[in-house]
Amino acid sequence: MSELITIADTVDEALATTGEYRAGGTDVQARRRRGLSRGPLVDIHRLPGYDSISRDEAGATTIGALVKLQTVATDEEMENLYPGLAQAAGALATPQIRNMATLGGSLLQRTRCWYYRHPQIECYKSGADHCPARAGHNPNGVIFDLGPCVYAHPATMGMALLAYEATYTIHGQEPHPLAELFGDGTNPYHDHTLAADQLLTHVHLPPPVADEKAAYFRVIARAEAEWPMVECLARLVVAQDTITLARVAVGGVANIPLRLPAVEAALEGETLGQALLEEAAGRAAEGANPLPQTAYKVKFLVNGVLETL
């Protein structure tokens, strides 16, 4: 297979070479073993300038797409300034994967649906015109049915960055709001909106908010190394018992990561208390239309949001 791999040393070289991009390879290599990724690879792990975290004079932070998830989880300033993001990065996968997987690769990974990953089954994302999970075995599917594909998006970091109102940069373009990377869930053929010849280079975080408290929580079937059934990241600022800022995002519940504006609206401007948190968490399920086998996740969503808050 070596003759099919081009190691790019510059962005121009990467963009001029035909093939699927590979950075840490934790998703690409798994898909190649199953025959889901074919053809040449363009290895971009050596591209200069994309493997570091920097901060500007205003306090905004830029994370290169090649920064490892373990770095996001353990960087001291990330832990202090964006604690929810660091917690989310440190909770996903295993130490071995976090030390190989990149932030860009985590955002752009393909669905973990077992129908898509099966080498003898076709679906929208492998080129067919149907979703076998919709009528099949789908207990890990969505509870917000936004489009033809009904498997939950796998990007924990996408969910976490939504809560931090991040933007992302494609080479040669101005930054875009992170939500644009995933679309609105109506296109079943892709897990993200980047074209094959576009290269995600950086993620940008606004300056940290003073006195912010943040937490990440995931509902999983075993203690670690498991895909979440539901996950949540919440950010709150409380001044004299009044919630002045609330940001809540969830994953594992739709074919894209989601912000929960109804929960945020229920919190902001209100006096902090257990009854308020319970009321706000209850609004997390507004608009849910679960599949028959995923109805159990609605309770997990409400309780998971409450636990995070």
Side-chain angles (χ1 to χ4, degrees):
M1 191 192 300
S2 60
E3 69 274 14
L4 298 176
I5 302 176
T6 299
I7 299 179
D9 292 310
T10 67
V11 173
D12 289 341
E13 184 180 346
L15 294 173
T17 306
T18 300
E20 182 177 3
Y21 294 130
R22 180 183 71 179
T26 56
D27 179 30
V28 173
Q29 294 305 124
R31 287 188 286 108
R32 288 181 85 80
R33 286 193 295 270
R34 293 176 178 266
L36 296 169
S37 171
R38 304 179 181 88
L41 291 174
V42 183
D43 193 305
I44 61 173
H45 83 277
R46 295 201 311 211
L47 294 184
Y50 301 141
D51 61 350
S52 61
I53 301 174
S54 61
R55 294 171 181 87
D56 65 20
E57 294 180 355
T61 296
T62 294
I63 309 174
L66 296 180
V67 169
K68 301 296 177 62
L69 296 182
Q70 186 68 7
T71 301
V72 177
T74 60
D75 179 86
E76 185 174 351
E77 289 194 304
M78 292 298 298
E79 291 180 306
N80 292 332
L81 301 177
Y82 306 99
L85 186 64
Q87 290 174 38
L92 61 83
T94 64
Q96 295 90 338
I97 290 175
R98 292 194 296 271
N99 276 291
M100 286 297 297
T102 63
L103 177 60
S106 176
L107 294 173
L108 302 178
Q109 65 185 296
R110 302 303 309 274
T111 181
R112 300 292 166 163
C113 176
W114 46 48
Y115 289 100
Y116 167 73
R117 299 272 167 169
H118 195 292
Q120 297 178 341
I121 297 177
E122 292 186 331
C123 71
Y124 285 113
K125 288 183 169 60
S126 60
D129 60 354
H130 64 285
C131 175
R134 182 171 288 279
H137 187 57
N138 54 34
N140 291 334
V142 302
I143 58 175
F144 293 94
D145 190 355
L146 304 179
C149 175
V150 296
Y151 205 83
H153 199 282
T156 290
M157 298 310 292
M159 178 276 307
L161 289 165
L162 276 183
Y164 277 96
E165 300 174 291
T167 60
Y168 69 99
T169 296
I170 299 170
H171 179 72
Q173 298 185 17
E174 293 297 314
H176 302 266
L178 191 81
E180 292 184 8
L181 184 61
F182 304 111
D184 61 3
T186 59
N187 185 339
Y189 297 101
H190 304 286
D191 295 290
H192 55 77
T193 59
L194 261 63
D197 60 350
Q198 291 181 318
L199 185 64
L200 188 152
T201 60
H202 297 91
V203 169
H204 312 278
L205 293 162
V209 178
D211 300 321
E212 172 186 309
K213 301 295 184 183
Y216 169 79
F217 180 78
R218 53 173 37 201
V219 180
I220 51 178
R222 58 189 182 191
E224 57 186 7
E226 179 68 290
W227 297 99
M229 292 177 276
V230 172
E231 59 184 342
C232 177
L233 193 152
R235 302 167 56 212
L236 296 179
V237 175
V238 181
Q240 297 180 341
D241 292 333
T242 298
I243 300 173
T244 60
L245 179 142
R247 299 291 183 267
V248 181
V250 291
V253 297
N255 58 7
I256 56 174
L258 293 178
R259 278 268 299 272
L260 296 180
V263 175
E264 296 171 358
L267 293 167
E268 287 191 345
E270 301 297 330
T271 301
L272 179 64
Q274 183 67 22
L276 173 68
L277 298 183
E278 292 176 0
E279 178 186 354
R283 299 190 65 179
E286 288 185 3
N289 50 347
L291 308 172
Q293 295 177 33
T294 65
Y296 75 96
K297 292 175 70 170
V298 175
K299 193 173 199 178
F300 284 175
L301 171 62
V302 172
N303 290 341
V305 169
L306 178 59
E307 178 69 19
T308 314
L309 292 173

